[in-house]
Amino acid sequence: MSESRGLHTKEFTLNVGPHHPSTHGVCRFVLKMEGEVITHVTPVIGYLHRALEKICENRTYEQIIPVTDRFEYCTAMSCNMAFSLATEKLAGIEVPERAEYLRVIMLELNRISSHLIWLGTTSLDLGALTPFLYAFREREYILDLFEMTCGQRLTFNYIRPAGVSRDIPPEFIPKCREFIDMFNDKIDDYERVLTENPIFIARNKNIGILPPDVAIAYAVSGPALRASGVKFDLRRDDPYSIYDRFDFDIPTRENGDCYDRYLIRIQEMRESTKIVRQAIEQIPEGEIRGKFNKMNFKPPAGEVYCRVENSRGELGIYLQAADKEKKPLRVKMRGGSFNQLQVMPVICVGHKIADLVAIMASMDIIMPDVDR
Amino acid sequence: MKTLIDGIKNLCIGMVTVGKHLFRRNVTVQYPTERWEMPERSRGIVVLLSDQETGELNCTVCMLCMRACPASAITIEYEQGEKGKRTLKDFIVDNTICCFCGLCEETCNFAAIKMATMYEFATEDKESLIWHMDKLQEMGRDVPYEKPVRKKPAAAKPAPKPEVKADGEKPAEPQPAEAASTGNTAADPAIANEPEQKPDNRKPDQPAEDQT
């Protein structure tokens, strides 16, 4: 019970979601409110559970790749990549050099497109319509690049065990270069609209501060962790594929509030363009897929865990295989969104209900990645 | 007061950027009247390809696409003739469960199945999304494709085919596997010809593992 200006308020339970525009999927928050201030948050998940891990157990290794596309719709490339890495590690498959470069190009373009979705929807959640339109316009360039390469805009089915499914068409490299050259100016545009915008700053600065120790305790990874000042990026700290050959920075910030998470992602988009530019300069000719028996691939028994850094943090795949079986025994996914949702009750307390939307948006949680 | 001026100044910076974009070329495509040109590799609906000269389907009933399909969207009905030669009776693609992954097209060694660039196939009822052989053939009439190097599609001849799309796959080994699966599925043609045989898709693999 609190009292102000003679008005009595008492604790009030409020449901946000499951269908709420700001939850980016179907997530429900049960809030305990004291007036307009949040005192307790309980995320309710499971609305998007599709039993994908179980579905994987009934598919051959080649058939699982389209299923991994559905793990997380924003960065399907990295899901393909994580599963391919796990399969390769299990069976000791070599990947051709050109395929590694193609993978890195696609992964980084996918990271940019994912961050663009984030930028667009976040600004929309905070009431700014313009950046949303700009971000989705640029994202369209990337999706066109993906479509001309692998035929699909979101469910790519591109990165496969032992390589990639198709070589890039001849017009890919010029178009990709054109995009990279143009894109840094576009990021400047977003920054001009948002970074100094007083409304955007008021909505984001000192909102949802995530201290580094809490972030580590909850295993938060990705941009949300780096915004809290922890310099941890799997591309640098546990390099997979050929990331150790590229020159790029891992941006970090100190405050760990929503505004820092925004700045980190903007900076990451710039770093990703750097990586793509280096990759298309260095890409060699050659094979794009190594030796892999598509229909009858039977790896030796064993278990592996492979992780990649996607736009939401650590994406890991645990894969357990029985001896000489076409289908895996167990596939387990670890996505960054789950941990970022778990930390919400800690960082939302004490903020207003409108800030919940900002915090949720800045964490870049997508529900298919949480539930699966 | 200072914050107010700063705020207005920064809003103006944003509005200048917005203003610049106001006079740029439109990016919107007015859909029903204008259409986006799909890239050649775009994965739309599944169609069956026919030989351009004879007009007959390229399909040789090797069943590889059916086994490759992760969603079990393809059902093939065939008649077992003499000397093990199979003739296609019906080829059913269930577009309601197709996940447009393109694995059927990649597996096919005979350029018989392809994901065309067409994407407009919305209907009013569910049944009309289940496409049979004649509809699939009709849709695939004008779809351009690269012919496989060996022109005459010899049925089920276990010779390693030269690669059609040169994407580094090794098509040599599926042929013996197909021969092995023939022993299982074609043993009883009456069962194989039943329309609902989706669980059969995974029969050649270990059935016990499906329950684990």
Side-chain angles (χ1 to χ4, degrees):
Chain A
M1 289 277 249
S2 67
E3 202 170 325
S4 62
R5 291 192 212 158
L7 289 172
H8 292 279
T9 61
K10 70 174 184 183
E11 199 177 69
F12 173 73
T13 306
L14 181 73
N15 276 294
V16 179
H19 292 283
H20 190 273
S22 75
T23 55
H24 304 186
V26 264
C27 175
R28 192 172 119 212
F29 287 103
V30 181
L31 307 180
K32 289 217 169 71
M33 312 282 298
E34 188 105 34
E36 215 184 327
V37 178
I38 299 167
T39 56
H40 197 263
V41 183
T42 315
V44 183
I45 62 170
Y47 292 97
L48 264 176
H49 183 65
R50 294 150 293 159
L52 286 177
E53 288 170 2
K54 198 71 193 166
I55 289 173
C56 288
E57 293 171 21
N58 292 323
R59 301 279 186 278
T60 64
Y61 287 83
E62 184 86 357
Q63 286 175 339
I64 291 174
I65 302 290
V67 180
T68 58
D69 285 334
R70 274 86 183 164
F71 281 139
E72 193 191 318
Y73 55 82
C74 286
T75 55
M77 282 289 181
S78 56
C79 301
N80 291 355
M81 179 71 180
F83 188 79
S84 301
L85 277 180
T87 313
E88 285 152 13
K89 195 171 167 187
L90 196 62
I93 303 170
E94 290 285 316
V95 183
E97 191 84 340
R98 185 177 173 82
E100 294 276 27
Y101 276 94
L102 288 177
R103 282 176 172 191
V104 167
I105 292 173
M106 294 302 167
L107 285 169
E108 291 308 314
L109 285 176
N110 207 185
R111 187 186 314 279
I112 296 173
S113 86
S114 171
H115 281 339
L116 283 176
I117 296 184
W118 170 82
L119 181 74
T121 51
T122 299
S123 53
L124 202 58
D125 287 344
L126 301 178
L129 184 66
T130 319
F132 166 73
L133 296 172
Y134 291 176
F136 273 62
R137 182 189 58 194
E138 267 74 75
R139 176 173 169 260
E140 204 65 21
Y141 280 89
I142 302 177
L143 295 190
D144 284 348
L145 289 173
F146 288 151
E147 196 177 14
M148 80 167 66
T149 308
C150 60
Q152 208 61 287
R153 292 155 57 85
L154 285 176
T155 51
F156 309 112
N157 192 12
Y158 183 64
I159 297 173
R160 306 277 179 86
V164 294
S165 71
R166 285 176 155 191
D167 205 350
I168 44 175
E171 66 268 28
F172 181 90
I173 296 280
K175 281 222 168 176
C176 187
R177 195 168 278 141
E178 189 188 313
F179 169 75
I180 300 278
D181 291 342
M182 163 205 87
F183 187 59
N184 270 326
D185 294 342
K186 301 286 181 187
I187 301 177
D188 292 342
D189 273 359
Y190 311 145
E191 288 219 71
R192 267 198 291 275
V193 176
L194 288 177
T195 306
E196 300 287 315
N197 187 317
I199 303 170
F200 190 76
I201 291 175
R203 287 298 302 274
N204 280 313
K205 212 146 203 178
N206 295 325
I207 301 292
I209 294 175
L210 176 63
D213 53 331
V214 175
I216 292 169
Y218 279 78
V220 172
S221 51
L225 178 68
R226 292 191 283 275
S228 302
V230 183
K231 196 165 185 169
F232 178 73
D233 190 316
L234 289 174
R235 290 175 291 173
R236 179 59 56 79
D237 296 323
D238 183 12
Y240 52 95
S241 192
I242 48 166
Y243 272 107
D244 44 357
R245 296 184 200 171
F246 300 113
D247 170 37
F248 61 100
D249 295 332
I250 312 287
T252 51
R253 307 279 303 176
E254 282 76 44
N255 286 341
D257 55 5
C258 293
Y259 190 66
D260 276 0
R261 290 193 274 273
Y262 156 77
L263 289 175
I264 285 280
R265 288 201 178 87
I266 290 282
Q267 197 55 40
E268 274 193 11
M269 285 198 273
R270 293 188 198 277
E271 297 300 327
S272 287
T273 57
K274 268 195 212 168
I275 299 176
V276 177
R277 181 170 279 128
Q278 290 169 47
I280 56 178
E281 298 295 327
Q282 299 170 13
I283 187 166
E285 291 294 322
E287 286 279 307
I288 53 149
R289 195 152 190 203
K291 212 168 158 49
F292 184 73
N293 186 339
K294 277 162 87 174
M295 299 296 274
N296 289 305
F297 174 68
K298 289 172 183 169
E303 49 182 348
V304 288
Y305 178 76
C306 273
R307 50 189 191 166
V308 299
E309 179 83 27
N310 79 350
S311 57
R312 279 170 198 80
E314 177 178 334
L315 177 96
I317 292 217
Y318 167 77
L319 181 63
Q320 191 184 5
D323 200 22
K324 303 291 174 218
E325 293 281 347
K326 276 185 180 179
K327 301 165 183 174
L329 269 183
R330 177 86 173 94
V331 178
K332 172 82 181 79
M333 297 269 304
R334 185 252 190 238
S337 295
F338 184 77
N339 302 68
Q340 283 156 36
L341 188 68
Q342 290 309 298
V343 83
M344 289 282 287
V346 184
I347 60 175
C348 285
V349 171
H351 287 298
K352 300 266 167 52
I353 186 167
D355 297 332
L356 177 83
V357 175
I359 296 169
M360 172 97 187
S362 77
M363 277 294 183
D364 197 11
I365 300 161
I366 61 164
M367 295 317 287
D369 191 27
V370 176
D371 291 337
R372 265 173 231 114
Chain B
M1 193 63 198
K2 191 178 172 295
T3 50
L4 185 72
I5 291 168
D6 274 359
I8 290 170
K9 198 184 113 204
N10 284 314
L11 276 181
C12 285
I13 293 172
M15 289 315 282
V16 166
T17 308
V18 175
K20 273 188 210 156
H21 282 78
L22 198 62
F23 300 103
R24 285 192 188 172
R25 194 172 54 85
N26 261 346
V27 291
T28 311
V29 177
Q30 300 294 336
Y31 165 60
T33 47
E34 300 170 51
R35 257 151 227 259
W36 192 257
E37 200 181 314
M38 302 303 282
E40 183 210 350
R41 290 181 183 180
S42 177
R43 297 203 298 261
I45 48 172
V46 174
V47 295
L48 287 180
L49 300 172
S50 327
D51 194 291
Q52 275 134 351
E53 285 148 31
T54 60
E56 280 174 26
L57 286 175
N58 288 348
C59 181
T60 58
V61 208
C62 69
M63 320 283 273
L64 278 182
C65 52
M66 193 173 109
R67 286 175 54 212
C69 182
S72 311
I74 299 176
T75 314
I76 298 176
E77 293 171 17
Y78 63 91
E79 244 166 23
Q80 188 84 32
E82 290 154 31
K83 293 186 218 160
K85 187 174 162 59
R86 282 175 278 182
T87 44
L88 190 63
K89 263 185 78 187
D90 203 353
F91 196 106
I92 305 163
V93 175
D94 191 343
N95 277 311
T96 55
I97 50 177
C98 175
C99 69
F100 300 94
C101 63
L103 287 181
C104 50
E105 181 189 336
E106 278 175 35
T107 329
C108 188
N109 294 324
F110 301 96
I113 189 167
K114 190 176 179 4
M115 303 212 98
T117 53
M118 290 170 271
Y119 52 91
E120 289 154 318
F121 59 102
T123 55
E124 283 134 16
D125 57 337
K126 207 172 160 184
E127 276 68 38
S128 45
L129 282 173
I130 300 170
W131 289 7
H132 290 262
M133 192 167 72
D134 41 354
K135 168 108 185 183
L136 290 166
Q137 189 174 11
E138 195 53 46
M139 297 300 281
R141 281 267 181 237
D142 304 323
V143 175
Y145 68 94
E146 270 179 62
K147 274 188 190 172
V149 179
R150 186 178 56 189
K151 216 176 121 189
K152 193 163 171 273
K157 202 176 176 187
K161 272 212 58 78
E163 197 35 57
V164 185
K165 294 182 291 282
D167 46 359
E169 303 151 6
K170 297 287 175 283
E173 98 318 303
Q175 296 289 354
E178 174 219 333
S181 76
T182 313
N184 284 341
T185 50
D188 191 350
I191 291 174
N193 287 345
E194 270 176 25
E196 290 301 317
Q197 54 160 336
K198 271 163 208 155
D200 275 10
N201 285 0
R202 313 202 179 283
K203 268 282 164 62
D205 310 330
Q206 309 265 312
E209 201 177 295
D210 285 7
Q211 275 87 48
T212 55

